[in-house]
Amino acid sequence: GVRMGIVSGKGLADLIREKVGIKITFLMMIALLAANMGNILAEFSGIAVSSGIFGVPKFIALPVAALFVWLLVVKGNYKSVEKVFLMASALYLTYIVAGYLSQPNWALAIHNSIIPQITPSTAYITMIIGLVGTTIAPWMMFYIQSSVVEKGISLKNLKYSKLDAVFGAIVVNVVAFFIVIACAATIHANGIQVNNVADVSKALVPLAGQYASILFAFGFLNASLFAASILPLSTAYYVCESLGFEAGVSKGFREAPIFHGLYLGLILLAVIVIMIPNAPLLTILYLSQVANGLLLPFLLILMLLIINDRKIMGDYVNSKLFNYVAGATVIIVMSLSILLIVTLILPSL
């Protein structure tokens, strides 16, 4: 994504439209928009739940968060927005501390990380697809490419942007590892039933201590607020790019009215839905990530077609090794989707 953005000077949705035409691009954008709306709802539900842990009701927390998220883009330029995102990213370290405070059995954790317990059931496969969908989410591909284009990064700085992307991928997985550790060592080990993130935070108090509980809740609030900023932004980017409208944080409302209007509309819609009493927040969060995982292989195939097109990339096409690794990734993700369909069909036969 970084390489395509810097070499072509275009966003991913723009390149997909040029590669496969407006009809296929439009259908794909509709599917991605639906999945992204679910993701945005999930993030605002995260704000509602985590702020509730600190005693702030959602009818106060959600409008304040929405205003912050909107002002961040409307009143800032890309440099200022990126600084806020970097600050938010640094706060993810609280999850690492929470994981350490949970006092896990490190030998067991490492063993089960290397040799997982695989269960060939519909629930297990669906969860795996959800985990893939939240780790390699389609919206990330669009955002990272649009961001390097807007920053105007030159080819001479390509190696630094690639390093940035690789470092980010490592950090996010380290953080995810400690989230799993914190929950597995306390909640799972003690057989505690949880229905939402508030239950997770509360359950950590007697098992890992007050500080672990507070840090976990704070980390979740930060993660939700961070993603609630970036997800509508990514969505606005790729919708505008795919339809040929002006897009960019550094552009004003008059320069990019569709971009800013869509960004605001997605935020307001999410707040309204999450305000509905007894909205199935955990179900929304879970299913939106599964949708990401199901859509991912189609997007990766299009990215591979573009990155190997010398008319677009010149000498910056993939190496054979890169194609093997990327191809294997597509096959694995597609296999999971096929397995899910098979497990859903078999019981009815």
Side-chain angles (χ1 to χ4, degrees), residues 48 62 66 171 190 245 274 323:
L62 287 174
V171 170
N190 289 275
F245 295 117
I274 301 303
N323 276 332

Side-chain angles (χ1 to χ4, degrees), residues 69 211 226:
V69 166
Y211 290 121
F226 178 33

Side-chain angles (χ1 to χ4, degrees), residues 66-117:
L67 183 62
F68 169 77
V69 166
W70 179 68
L71 288 174
L72 180 66
V73 168
V74 172
K75 296 297 182 184
N77 53 36
Y78 195 86
K79 281 190 175 181
S80 63
V81 170
E82 191 172 52
K83 285 175 184 176
V84 174
F85 286 168
L86 286 169
M87 194 182 303
S89 298
L91 294 175
Y92 275 78
L93 296 174
T94 56
Y95 277 131
I96 296 175
V97 180
Y100 177 77
L101 290 174
S102 68
Q103 298 179 341
N105 180 334
W106 287 109
L108 181 63
I110 292 167
H111 176 270
N112 285 352
S113 297
I114 298 168
I115 308 171
Q117 298 176 25

